[in-house]
Amino acid sequence: MKIFVADTYEELSRQAAEDAITLMRSIKQPLVCPASGDTPAGLYKYFTTKKELAVSHWSFVGLDEWVGMDGNDEGSCLFHLKNQLFGPLHISQEKICFFNGRANDLDKECDNIEKFIQQHGTIDLAILGIGLNGHIGMNEPGTSPALRSHVTELDPLTKKTAQKYFKEQTEITTGITLGLATLMEAKHIFLLISGAHKANIVKRILEEEASAQLPGTLLRSHPGLTIYLDAGAAALIQPRTA
Ligand code: F6R
């Protein structure tokens, strides 16, 4: 596990983006799994400012989606990624596989996404964030790390915090997500964490015993994990840890 501590969110985003670009250059046809949410937005923005960045050979697999929503729903995970990443980088539709949270058959959505990953071999880079409850994707506290893609009841804190993605109060109860077993097979994981409000969860995932009750702790055993923190997120950890 490597930990990079930046002074600012901008520096965190730039470093993670540059590291991702360097990594992608070494892979013929990379498969990237991008989280949505506030934290990786700076990294995606940095991608879009790199004029010479060639991404036509990159493919993308969705990390998660709210059940009952698809990319046309404002506030959905795909909606945000279309605006921040896929649209600005002109990624063609056939290079993207994403959960359709409006599908009648959600198990089939899970099968499709797992097949897409298999067809590409494996995820080369998962760009992840973390919830205040330690969730990874929508792998909520208590989720078995043996699960692959699955449908899940959302934790109360996730439902509350997720309201920031919507213009109006929106009822969300369920999510569809890559499982930890799928994510742990990724070759590289970049876990981005920003802001003083995340300082406590950073301390907990680095210092507490690894447990399904705190999914972020389980990533520590991944050999290709890099954690990117800014000063706010790193505020409660010892300098030697960083
Ligand atoms: C988003 C996702 C979530 C977020 C996490 C942090 O696709 O899977 O696990 O990464 O909730 O969200 P932000 O970055 O908005 O604090």
Side-chain angles (χ1 to χ4, degrees):
M1 172 174 74
K2 287 189 229 154
I3 302 180
F4 173 84
V5 182
D7 285 336
T8 63
Y9 173 67
E10 288 68 31
E11 191 191 339
L12 174 166
S13 303
R14 188 177 58 245
Q15 187 63 49
E18 285 293 350
D19 290 351
I21 292 167
T22 304
L23 191 60
M24 295 301 101
R25 284 205 179 111
S26 68
I27 302 167
K28 225 172 172 188
Q29 295 198 308
L31 178 61
V32 181
C33 173
S36 64
D38 291 338
T39 314
L43 184 163
Y44 303 149
K45 175 120 191 109
Y46 188 86
F47 276 172
T48 67
T49 60
K50 295 281 280 189
K51 295 275 173 281
E52 74 282 12
L53 186 64
V55 294
S56 57
H57 58 300
W58 295 17
S59 297
F60 296 86
V61 62
L63 173 61
D64 48 13
E65 189 55 279
W66 312 113
V67 167
M69 294 190 198
D70 65 18
N72 296 315
D73 291 291
E74 271 187 57
S76 69
C77 299
L78 180 53
F79 182 87
H80 287 294
L81 284 172
K82 281 203 291 194
N83 285 332
Q84 294 171 353
L85 185 66
F86 301 145
L89 290 184
H90 308 291
I91 307 295
S92 58
Q93 194 57 52
E94 68 272 13
K95 293 285 187 185
I96 304 167
C97 183
F98 218 93
F99 291 116
N100 175 5
R102 281 182 175 266
N104 290 328
D105 189 344
L106 294 173
D107 289 340
K108 198 164 159 218
E109 290 298 301
C110 293
D111 288 347
N112 287 347
I113 217 148
E114 290 286 340
K115 274 190 198 129
F116 184 84
I117 296 170
Q118 264 176 27
Q119 280 159 10
H120 288 79
T122 184
I123 294 170
D124 292 292
L125 174 61
I127 299 168
L128 304 177
I130 193 165
L132 292 169
N133 55 9
H135 76 197
I136 297 292
M138 291 180 192
N139 290 274
E140 301 287 28
T143 304
S144 164
L147 284 186
R148 304 189 71 82
S149 297
H150 62 280
V151 175
T152 180
E153 285 305 306
L154 297 172
D155 183 71
L157 187 55
T158 301
K159 293 183 205 171
K160 193 171 160 218
T161 315
Q163 293 306 319
K164 67 179 175 168
Y165 305 127
F166 301 97
K167 285 199 182 126
E168 290 167 3
Q169 185 73 21
T170 303
E171 200 192 331
I172 44 166
T173 58
T174 319
I176 180 167
T177 183
L178 297 188
L180 287 168
T182 316
L183 287 169
M184 290 297 275
E185 287 171 3
K187 286 197 193 126
H188 301 269
I189 295 178
F190 288 2
L191 176 61
L192 277 51
I193 315 178
S194 162
H197 65 300
K198 296 263 177 90
N200 191 46
I201 198 68
V202 168
K203 184 176 167 60
R204 292 187 62 202
I205 62 158
L206 290 176
E207 296 180 2
E208 286 189 15
E209 198 181 323
S211 144
Q213 291 310 320
L214 202 55
T217 57
L218 300 171
L219 296 185
R220 290 200 314 247
S221 62
H222 189 285
L225 173 67
T226 307
I227 302 180
Y228 295 85
L229 306 171
D230 60 12
L236 298 179
I237 59 171
Q238 301 298 322
R240 66 182 161 74
T241 319

